[in-house]
Amino acid sequence: MGIIKTLILMKIDKIISLANNKARLRFLAMERSLRATGCQLPLLVIPYDDNLFELPKGSTWWEIPEIISWLKIEKTHPMMRKYQCLTVRNYQYVDSDICFLRNPEEVLEPYSGFITSCGHWHNPGGTYTEKSLQLMSSKSTLWQRDVFNAGQFACDRPLFTIESLKAIATQPDFIETCLRFPFHDQPGLNLLVWQSEIEILNLTLPPIRMESTWAGDYPDEFEHYWADSSRQPYLIHWAGIRMDVPRPIHQIFYNFLTQAEKAEWDEQVRQWSLSYQRNNRSVRGIARRFKRAFQTVVQQ
């Protein structure tokens, strides 16, 4: 008698994001791009901090009080609030600096487990700490295949209860990565998902081979990469991308802003550019002064 296998499909029932008022314009573009694909799922928004704004219809602020209060007590980075996603099922998580190109409900339906679509498998920097790398590489020589960008992932099952999440994150081998890392949530989230032992499917790897979802991989014209519609990414992520450096792909983001919002955004970008230039000049100045001091010491 043959074995009957049940085909398990992913049926997401919510989109989750994280935002505050500073990220309002990015969030609005993301929300509008999602709705433009035909996806009308509820959008749950984790507050980055207490600096909130009025959400559009179909979106609500979302906190699991026990997790948020615990993270506040631990004085973690605010982005670690998205750990609460790991206790629920059937969701697509996206940071606010993302625009959707295709309906995530339809894209994710054929798959199951933990799904991502980033390129960190060939660029794993930023996904680990020294300790978490020791842990992950001790289990597999192919650990790079399973690391992912914490700004976009989906899952059809809870990986932890609230109690088990807290217990694992506070273990001696985990606490520095999951709770003490000062810059962002990415190493901690990667380590927690690794610890869960769930199978990770990256849509940019074989057999799917979706084209890159990262805006940084498209410095020039981009649409010809998507001539095969089955390989078109379903979202574009501007993680770490300077918007004051022109790229044709930025137009995808601009298409979802009103004229007034575009003007507001352009002013924000101008201020960020000026701040970047000031900081860059300051760093160069320090380097020059250090070099002169070093040369003086050598000459003495």
Side-chain angles (χ1 to χ4, degrees):
M1 188 176 196
I3 298 175
I4 300 175
K5 294 184 177 180
T6 302
L7 183 61
I8 302 175
L9 302 179
M10 179 171 285
K11 185 71 173 177
I12 62 171
D13 56 26
K14 53 187 162 293
I15 309 295
I16 304 175
S17 189
L18 178 145
N20 65 359
N21 192 52
K22 187 176 180 180
R24 177 178 58 87
L25 292 178
R26 282 192 180 276
F27 173 85
L28 291 176
M30 181 275 291
E31 188 271 345
R32 292 165 187 168
S33 72
L34 175 69
R35 301 313 183 198
T37 69
C39 180
Q40 298 301 321
L41 292 178
L43 180 49
L44 307 183
V45 189
I46 303 167
Y48 179 88
D49 54 26
D50 295 331
N51 189 17
L52 307 184
F53 61 98
E54 184 177 354
L55 294 173
K57 182 180 178 181
S59 302
T60 55
W61 296 106
W62 176 56
E63 289 183 322
I64 297 178
E66 187 175 346
I67 293 179
I68 298 300
S69 60
W70 163 59
L71 293 175
K72 285 182 177 179
I73 292 170
E74 295 288 347
K75 296 182 172 59
T76 64
H77 193 285
M79 293 188 74
M80 293 179 179
R81 293 180 174 201
K82 71 175 75 167
Y83 288 172
Q84 65 185 36
C85 297
L86 303 181
T87 67
V88 299
R89 68 179 73 241
N90 298 335
Y91 64 87
Q92 164 81 64
Y93 175 86
V94 287
D95 279 349
S96 56
D97 58 346
I98 276 174
C99 283
F100 285 94
L101 303 179
R102 293 193 279 156
N103 189 331
E105 294 177 271
E106 298 171 357
V107 172
L108 297 174
E109 187 176 23
Y111 311 114
S112 65
F114 191 91
I115 312 297
T116 186
S117 59
C118 72
H120 272 303
W121 50 267
H122 65 76
N123 180 28
T127 63
Y128 58 83
T129 61
E130 181 179 354
K131 183 59 181 179
S132 68
L133 178 58
Q134 291 175 4
L135 293 170
M136 293 189 295
S137 62
S138 70
K139 186 175 180 179
S140 172
T141 59
L142 301 178
W143 62 270
Q144 300 97 326
R145 177 192 59 193
D146 291 333
V147 296
F148 60 93
N149 188 287
Q152 51 108 338
F153 54 92
C155 194
D156 59 2
R157 67 203 71 171
L159 303 186
F160 304 99
T161 64
I162 295 175
E163 292 74 20
S164 65
L165 173 66
K166 294 165 70 174
I168 290 169
T170 54
Q171 288 181 5
D173 283 345
F174 286 73
I175 192 167
E176 292 301 321
T177 301
C178 296
L179 299 179
R180 303 286 182 260
F181 189 70
F183 304 114
H184 47 74
D185 62 308
Q186 191 156 272
L189 195 61
N190 269 269
L191 185 57
L192 288 168
V193 173
W194 172 84
Q195 173 66 13
S196 77
E197 298 187 337
I198 190 172
E199 183 174 353
I200 298 172
L201 174 65
N202 191 316
L203 301 182
T204 67
L205 286 171
I208 296 92
R209 295 187 176 90
M210 180 181 289
E211 290 290 344
S212 176
T213 58
W214 185 48
D217 283 330
Y218 302 97
D220 302 306
E221 295 300 325
F222 57 92
E223 291 183 333
H224 67 280
Y225 291 109
W226 307 340
D228 180 350
S229 60
S230 67
R231 294 180 59 190
Q232 181 189 27
Y234 74 107
L235 55 82
I236 293 293
H237 191 187
W238 277 266
I241 299 300
R242 289 180 57 189
M243 297 294 280
D244 59 324
V245 178
R247 293 173 182 262
I249 203 163
H250 293 345
Q251 189 58 44
I252 292 175
F253 166 75
Y254 274 100
N255 287 342
F256 293 102
L257 299 180
T258 66
Q259 288 302 119
E261 289 167 346
K262 288 177 184 177
E264 183 181 353
W265 175 256
D266 287 342
E267 177 58 23
Q268 288 184 18
V269 170
R270 189 181 73 84
Q271 294 297 330
W272 290 333
S273 182
L274 290 173
S275 177
Y276 177 84
Q277 293 170 24
R278 286 193 297 268
N279 292 337
N280 200 35
R281 285 195 296 269
S282 177
V283 169
R284 288 200 303 268
I286 293 171
R288 284 195 298 268
R289 290 192 294 273
F290 178 81
K291 183 178 180 180
R292 286 196 296 268
F294 177 77
Q295 289 172 338
T296 300
V297 171
V298 170
Q299 292 167 1
Q300 289 177 346

